Amino acid sequence: MQIEELFKIWDRFESSKATEFLFEADGQKFCLKKEIKAAAPAIQSIAQPVVQAAAPVSAPQTATEATPAASDVQISGTPVKAPFVGTFYRAAAPGENPFVKLGQRVSKGDVIGIIEAMKLMNEITAPCDGVITDIFVEDEKLVEYDQVLMSIGE
């Protein structure tokens, strides 16, 4: 990855509402994070030393009402949260049936959605056995890190 590409990614992340962003380039995994205390985000290559930014970053804003954050929703059961920022898909392809529907029984490890980040499709799996009690995010919507996507109850 060229340094110019890294700076483009950095600038886009810095101007976003996201607090954490994971991506892979040239066989290395990177994690960009913004501290809630308005500290500078860190670029970290997994198994590599941390590189600190020179410019301060303002505190991240809260998620919009259309995409509630974990603290904004009433959760009945086990929450399924977004592990990173990206576009959430309820189905494998447009026009196909969703992975899960309200009231559907799932087992731990079942695919219940996909988050696309940096052109990579990442499966979201059920953290436990149970029934889908709530779906908080619409198909093809941008999700924030740690945002509640669904809840699984008994």
Side-chain angles (χ1 to χ4, degrees):
M1 170 177 274
Q2 299 293 325
I3 192 73
E4 294 82 21
E5 293 172 313
L6 185 58
F7 281 119
K8 285 180 186 177
I9 293 169
W10 178 271
D11 289 339
R12 189 161 183 188
F13 171 72
E14 192 174 11
S15 64
S16 75
K17 295 179 183 177
T19 58
E20 185 171 343
F21 182 68
L22 304 172
F23 67 98
E24 187 172 336
D26 298 330
Q28 291 187 342
K29 294 182 181 182
F30 295 89
C31 177
L32 301 178
K33 290 184 180 183
K34 290 181 189 175
E35 297 291 327
I36 294 179
K37 298 177 186 174
I43 294 181
Q44 176 178 345
S45 173
I46 297 177
Q48 297 289 329
V50 174
V51 178
Q52 293 292 332
V57 177
S58 62
Q61 298 177 357
T62 59
T64 64
E65 288 181 24
T67 55
S71 61
D72 297 339
V73 255
Q74 296 290 53
I75 300 168
S76 58
T78 303
V80 179
K81 297 180 181 182
F84 40 80
V85 175
T87 303
F88 178 71
Y89 295 99
R90 292 193 53 210
E96 288 190 16
N97 290 331
F99 291 107
V100 294
K101 296 178 183 175
L102 280 176
Q104 181 177 336
R105 180 157 287 286
V106 294
S107 298
K108 182 177 180 176
D110 287 352
V111 176
I112 58 175
I114 295 175
I115 295 181
E116 176 189 5
M118 297 290 293
K119 304 289 183 193
L120 296 174
M121 298 297 189
N122 303 279
E123 292 180 342
I124 305 304
T125 58
C128 60
D129 296 342
V131 176
I132 302 295
T133 57
D134 290 297
I135 300 174
F136 298 105
V137 180
E138 294 178 33
D139 192 36
E140 299 182 22
K141 294 296 180 184
L142 182 65
V143 294
E144 300 286 331
Y145 168 75
D146 212 32
Q147 179 178 340
V148 178
L149 305 172
M150 300 179 191
S151 65
I152 300 175
E154 291 301 316

